[in-house]
Amino acid sequence: MNRSVRWLRLFGRGWLMHSKHLASSGFFVLMTSVQPLVFASLAFFLFGAGRPADALLDAALGAAMLSVWSTTLIGSGQALTLLRAAGLLELLVAAPAPLAFVLAPITVATATIGLYAMVSTVAWGVLLFDLPLRLEHPGALIAAVAVTAFGLGMLGMVFASVFVRLRYANALTNLFDYPVWLLSGMLVPVDVLPLWTRPLSWLLPSTWGMRAIRESVLGGRPWFAIGICLGLGTGYLGLGLLTVRWFSTLARRRAALALA
Amino acid sequence: MEAIEAAGLRRTFHSTKGLLRRRVHDVEAVRGVSFAVGKGELYGLLGPNGAGKTTVIKMFITLLLPTSGTARVLGHDVVAAPSRVRGLIGYVFGGDKGLYDRLSALDNLRYFAELYGVAPRAQRRRIGEVLELVNLTDRARDRVETYSRGMRQRLHVARGLLHDPPVVFLDEPTIGVDPVAARDLRATILALRQAGRTVLLTTHYMFEADALCDRIGVIAGGTLLAEGTPNELKARVADRTVIEIEAYGATPAAIDELRRIPEVATVSTEDIGQSQLIRVQSPAGLELTAALLARLDGVRIGRVVAREPTLEDAYIDIVSADAPRVAA
């Protein structure tokens, strides 16, 4: 079997497996279902009151992205913690397939499930807060959502490689959660942040994914942001391949793959 | 070329204590272990809990890097060529863990088939074969969380054999399963050997090692203390008699009294419910029962039996002879 076909099959099967596995977790489903609604309500009350319709939609999209990233990160951290506790992490590392092709489907699966937040946030806004629906570039929105899932999944994989080494991955997710919210412009526009934070924002696929989705919905040039998001996702894939190898070797040296 | 080779294998674990003044504490789990397993051989690594058996296996299956020494599988170094080694081995461990509980056996096996690069066209057939082998075909679509412990263990075996590996590592595969399930697992292990696979089995069940293994290595305190066929190991104590005494409430001091009898070679005890089983080895032909019971004066005694030595007695002899070094 051609090697690239093999990796593609492994990725597909891994994505399906972990999507099913995550979807069968009551806690994960509850968190994924309720969190976007809470974030959306907060956004509508805080940022929407008395503002123009576009601002309301903008706030809704920002709130949706908060949930997408949280689900990706917490889902990845939780998945790694559960895999370790279930004795599966050792088996996955001991398999001949490169660990990156084992971790990437997990983080992309969490990002994919996280995209549900996008739909539920907008639906919540339409149902309860009279959010006006507008869609300037439907085709671009599909591409924007896909590359955002890819970009966040790959960034999640870089974080997941750290979780392979560290036993208490769940505890670290908060540490990575909030800064990405802030730097990606999910809470406030990137423009209002101090100038020195700008390069950090540009390095996050969530910044460009957020911008691509916003411009697909509200109007603008979404394809530029889509391209950057795709490029960053690819870059994080490359970085993830290196960090996964490095952290898994470290974990083998320090005996950190098992829970105890 | 041997199928499995360890040469001077060592593994030290480092742990730290203290918040401000960090103190590093080293534990030598494996201390220079060397052995070789030929192709098609079933080799048992026998030892008590904490002996270093699992650590040795984890170095062979590339989950732990050795501190020093070398480990090879079919000529491939586990440190230099981990990917190559991983494709050649199957790994099965005992216990409840190691499966996607909320998914079916079929889902689990399909994923591991991809992980191990089983060709897409062969996957359905191979999964069917291993499910048949472990007698789980009827339950293949059920969630693993509904399985009994024995069924989970059988699924582990199926997972470990999916890619038809020439070398299989079995780490206490029968631990915690009921006697019938354990018997079935032992039959499966024997079938692996008959199929020409090389098997490294760790266990602390003596009868299991005796029944299954071509050769046995006894490991304790991270050191390989003895090696040989079950009969060769048993021959170490062939000139002895074992007296088993069922006692209730024998103190350590009373047990030490038995050790002071000059003819006594080894004394070991095992707690069985409310009672203790005291095993005394002594040269064959000597009648020591009366002397032993006299030293246990005041202790309630149940059954007393004299019998031929077994592999377990050989194991006790080996480990007891090396006890001071192991303890150190």
Side-chain angles (χ1 to χ4, degrees):
Chain A
M1 186 175 28
N2 181 309
R3 184 171 282 201
S4 52
V5 173
R6 188 191 158 191
W7 299 151
L8 209 62
R9 280 185 61 92
L10 176 60
F11 184 89
R13 176 71 68 189
W15 177 84
L16 187 67
M17 270 284 291
H18 289 98
S19 297
K20 277 173 84 172
H21 199 238
L22 286 167
S24 64
S25 159
F27 171 75
F28 188 73
V29 169
L30 185 72
M31 189 198 81
T32 313
S33 311
V34 174
Q35 186 173 266
L37 306 185
V38 174
F39 285 162
S41 302
L42 283 172
F44 290 133
F45 285 123
L46 285 172
F47 302 110
R51 305 271 180 94
D54 277 2
L56 200 60
L57 195 54
D58 201 15
L61 293 174
M65 281 298 287
L66 293 181
S67 296
V68 176
W69 173 241
S70 289
T71 308
T72 306
L73 189 65
I74 292 172
S76 303
Q78 191 195 7
L80 265 286
T81 303
L82 289 177
L83 289 177
R84 194 191 302 276
L88 276 160
L89 187 60
E90 286 192 314
L91 291 175
L92 297 178
V93 173
L99 188 59
F101 284 87
V102 176
L103 293 182
I106 298 174
T107 56
V108 175
T110 56
T112 312
I113 290 178
L115 287 175
Y116 149 82
M118 191 76 67
V119 179
S120 63
T121 302
V122 174
W124 188 251
V126 171
L127 286 173
L128 266 80
F129 297 93
D130 298 323
L131 180 72
L133 267 188
R134 243 180 82 189
L135 190 51
E136 293 291 328
H137 305 289
L141 180 64
I142 294 169
V145 168
V147 297
T148 303
F150 171 70
L152 289 180
M154 292 304 106
L155 181 60
M157 184 171 79
V158 175
F159 285 121
S161 66
V162 184
F163 298 158
V164 169
R165 165 67 187 89
L166 300 169
R167 291 181 184 176
Y168 305 106
N170 262 355
L172 276 178
T173 51
N174 283 351
L175 188 69
F176 295 128
D177 206 5
Y178 307 125
V180 173
W181 284 3
L182 202 60
L183 290 169
S184 307
M186 299 178 196
L187 291 169
V188 290
V190 172
D191 299 342
V192 304
L193 297 174
L195 207 58
W196 63 267
T197 62
R198 214 60 60 82
L200 296 172
S201 299
W202 292 336
L203 286 173
L204 294 170
S206 42
T207 304
W208 300 97
M210 178 72 212
R211 187 168 149 186
I213 290 169
R214 187 181 278 146
E215 291 181 353
S216 301
V217 173
L218 300 175
R221 293 167 51 229
W223 291 104
F224 175 71
I226 290 170
I228 301 280
C229 189
L230 184 64
L232 276 175
T234 310
Y236 281 112
L237 170 63
L239 181 64
L241 292 173
L242 294 175
T243 55
V244 166
R245 178 177 289 206
W246 192 69
F247 279 111
S248 60
T249 303
L250 207 59
R252 288 167 61 210
R253 187 170 295 136
R254 305 249 173 104
L257 293 167
L259 192 63
Chain B
M1 181 178 59
E2 304 284 2
I4 300 169
E5 282 177 271
L9 204 55
R10 285 181 176 273
R11 174 70 209 199
T12 304
F13 292 105
H14 307 287
S15 62
T16 52
K17 279 183 180 175
L19 190 62
L20 296 174
R21 293 181 63 186
R22 306 284 281 175
R23 282 163 305 182
V24 179
H25 177 61
D26 287 349
V27 176
E28 276 193 283
V30 177
R31 310 174 185 203
V33 165
S34 301
F35 63 91
V37 183
K39 284 181 185 170
E41 194 177 7
L42 204 164
Y43 186 92
L45 215 44
L46 198 62
N49 290 331
K53 305 185 295 289
T54 298
T55 305
V56 168
I57 280 210
K58 284 192 175 178
M59 285 191 275
F60 273 109
I61 63 168
T62 76
L63 284 179
L64 277 178
L65 292 172
T67 306
S68 65
T70 56
R72 290 175 177 275
V73 176
L74 294 168
H76 302 283
D77 188 281
V78 299
V79 178
S83 297
R84 189 83 189 95
V85 170
R86 288 168 184 171
L88 293 168
I89 61 173
Y91 170 49
V92 176
F93 59 88
D96 284 339
K97 294 183 173 182
L99 296 163
Y100 287 90
D101 276 8
R102 298 196 301 269
L103 299 178
S104 70
L106 213 49
D107 281 333
N108 274 272
L109 294 177
R110 280 178 184 147
Y111 184 47
F112 276 93
E114 291 291 350
L115 283 171
Y116 277 85
V118 178
R121 283 183 197 164
Q123 280 186 16
R124 182 185 283 247
R125 176 184 53 79
R126 189 65 197 143
I127 289 171
E129 283 172 1
V130 292
L131 282 170
E132 190 70 35
L133 177 76
V134 299
N135 199 19
L136 281 176
T137 309
D138 295 343
R139 298 287 307 273
R141 292 182 187 280
D142 294 349
R143 279 188 176 200
V144 173
E145 63 190 1
T146 65
Y147 283 17
S148 68
R149 192 154 187 181
M151 290 167 71
R152 284 164 177 264
Q153 201 53 45
R154 275 147 51 200
L155 182 57
H156 269 304
V157 174
R159 180 192 47 70
L161 299 177
L162 256 180
H163 57 297
D164 207 8
V167 178
V168 183
F169 291 89
L170 303 172
D171 191 8
E172 302 192 1
T174 56
I175 196 162
V177 298
D178 66 69
V180 176
R183 187 194 61 196
D184 291 346
L185 279 168
R186 283 194 287 276
T188 307
I189 294 166
L190 271 179
L192 294 180
R193 188 185 61 174
Q194 281 156 8
R197 290 179 218 266
T198 306
V199 180
L200 178 61
L201 167 78
T202 74
T203 181
H204 53 232
Y205 298 135
M206 308 296 154
F207 69 95
E208 189 167 275
D210 197 3
L212 296 175
C213 298
D214 298 314
R215 282 192 306 135
I216 291 169
V218 178
I219 185 170
T223 308
L224 195 69
L225 301 177
E227 200 179 17
T229 65
N231 284 337
E232 283 169 352
L233 294 180
K234 279 185 260 185
R236 297 170 64 112
V237 289
D239 57 348
R240 290 186 186 170
T241 293
V242 180
I243 299 169
E244 286 185 346
I245 303 167
E246 187 185 22
Y248 296 84
T251 60
I255 304 293
D256 281 343
E257 278 297 309
L258 303 181
R259 291 195 175 99
R260 290 203 184 91
I261 299 174
E263 293 84 2
V264 166
T266 68
V267 179
S268 65
T269 60
E270 184 185 348
D271 291 332
I272 301 173
Q274 299 290 313
S275 67
Q276 295 155 291
L277 186 63
I278 305 170
R279 290 194 192 90
V280 181
Q281 292 185 26
S282 61
L286 285 179
E287 179 44 64
L288 282 183
T289 308
L292 292 168
L293 295 179
R295 300 276 176 130
L296 291 171
D297 190 29
V299 176
R300 204 180 123 214
I301 302 295
R303 185 176 57 96
V304 179
V305 178
R307 59 165 175 79
E308 298 286 309
T310 62
L311 181 64
E312 184 164 5
D313 301 310
Y315 166 81
I316 289 167
D317 179 62
I318 292 162
V319 175
S320 303
D322 211 73
R325 189 157 66 87
V326 170

